[in-house]
Amino acid sequence: MEQKLTSKQKTLSSLQVASVYVGTVVGAGFASGQEVLQFFGFHGRGGVLGIIVSTALFVVFGAAAMILGHRLGATSHLEVVRDSAGPLVGSIVDAIITFFLLGAFSAMAAGAGAVLQEQFGVPQFWGSLAMVTITVVTVLFGIQGVLSAIGLVAPILVASVLALSLVTVMRNPVNWNWAQPQEAAVGSWSLSAIAYTSYNMVLAMAVLAPLGPLADERALRKGALLGGIGLGFGALAIQLAILTQVPRIANHEVPMLILASQVLGRLIPVYSAVLLAEVYTTAAGSLYGFV
């Protein structure tokens, strides 16, 4: 009976795994363009090399996290962390991950309130409360509810970011000679690639580990490959779009909103809705992992 149930649960295809993987990693920081700017944009053409390295790391470590979760029958990131690092170190790492998950959820709630107030005139408290309520309801449906929400929203969000970036690149030349590595979050593009992947995997682990038992290993490997490539392609598109507008865009908190205002004009609230959806996917994954 237990074997039949386990077999029945393995229903996710490689495309679904990839969609959830991408949706888990891309959050408000990705859609705003600030993550790509801090880790790759300031490195100029070197940032492109960093994105290539980061893409490879996303494929390898994404596959490792999901496959280990599959073999352990993990229901949370805790089993994967303890199996990898041992009971003592694993518990310490789990505490760190849990702390960051709570911080990410809190930041997403605050960010949602700020966006709704600025773009739609909704009081910040009510905007944050609405995001918290929607996220809690999603998490109450368990891992299947979180995966369904992320998998459904992610393709639309990524397509929106890619479309905006590609239109910008088609309209403007890329400035390959600009770079300000001293302003970057990490001083070299190679370390930026490692840091960017690492901190994203900390939050993604909360979803990737329990995702593992819901697909077979072949689907997980292929999903990690497709998801990693998708993440790399999305980051590259944003990187090139940012390099068409430097140095002016480098001083803005939300670089992609500047690009959206040029492409969409008065329809810029549409991209604000994309940002809110990205906030939601990050909040859902973070709250589930924390709980």
Side-chain angles (χ1 to χ4, degrees):
M1 178 68 179
E2 184 178 349
Q3 290 180 346
K4 290 182 180 179
L5 179 60
T6 303
S7 175
K8 184 179 179 180
Q9 288 179 331
K10 297 176 182 178
T11 58
L12 297 182
S13 67
S14 57
L15 287 177
Q16 289 174 312
V17 171
S19 179
V20 171
Y21 188 9
V22 171
T24 301
V25 173
V26 298
F30 184 91
S32 71
Q34 190 61 229
E35 277 187 6
V36 175
L37 173 64
Q38 290 294 330
F39 286 94
F40 305 114
F42 282 119
H43 293 292
R45 69 178 67 189
V48 175
L49 298 177
I51 289 173
I52 295 173
V53 173
S54 182
T55 300
L57 293 176
F58 273 125
V59 172
V60 172
F61 287 102
M66 290 187 287
I67 290 173
L68 190 53
H70 170 83
R71 294 177 180 176
L72 294 173
T75 57
S76 75
H77 63 273
L78 181 59
E79 294 98 320
V80 172
V81 170
R82 285 186 174 175
D83 186 79
S84 303
L88 178 59
V89 176
S91 296
I92 296 173
V93 173
D94 170 52
I96 295 173
I97 291 177
T98 303
F99 172 78
F100 275 102
L101 289 171
L102 177 60
F105 174 66
S106 302
M108 293 305 102
V115 172
L116 284 169
Q117 182 179 47
E118 181 178 343
Q119 296 295 327
F120 302 100
V122 179
Q124 185 167 354
F125 171 79
W126 294 110
S128 295
L129 181 61
M131 179 58 67
V132 169
T133 302
I134 295 171
T135 304
V136 169
V137 171
T138 301
V139 172
L140 286 175
F141 283 95
I143 186 61
Q144 289 286 3
V146 173
L147 295 182
S148 297
I150 294 175
L152 178 65
V153 175
I156 300 173
L157 305 185
V158 174
S160 301
V161 173
L162 287 176
L164 178 60
S165 300
L166 293 176
V167 169
T168 301
V169 172
M170 290 173 63
R171 290 182 176 180
N172 305 278
V174 177
N175 185 355
W176 292 110
N177 296 320
W178 183 87
Q180 291 185 353
Q182 71 278 4
E183 300 293 333
V186 182
S188 69
W189 64 261
S190 56
L191 291 179
S192 281
I194 297 173
Y196 178 72
T197 308
S198 299
Y199 107 86
N200 273 296
M201 287 301 299
V202 167
L203 297 179
M205 186 67 70
V207 174
L208 297 184
L211 171 64
L214 302 181
D216 58 48
E217 291 194 15
R218 181 179 179 183
L220 294 174
R221 288 192 177 92
K222 190 173 180 180
L225 176 62
L226 295 175
I229 292 174
L231 290 168
F233 188 71
L236 178 61
I238 295 175
Q239 166 80 346
L240 296 178
I242 288 175
L243 289 180
T244 67
Q245 302 295 319
V246 290
R248 178 176 63 90
I249 201 173
N251 297 320
H252 289 273
E253 291 292 329
V254 188
M256 292 299 286
L257 276 182
I258 304 301
L259 302 182
S261 65
Q262 297 176 355
V263 175
L264 299 175
R266 294 182 179 180
L267 296 177
I268 192 171
V270 173
Y271 196 76
S272 297
V274 172
L275 278 176
L276 285 171
E278 295 278 18
V279 167
Y280 165 66
T281 59
T282 302
S286 298
L287 181 60
Y288 176 81
F290 175 76
V291 171

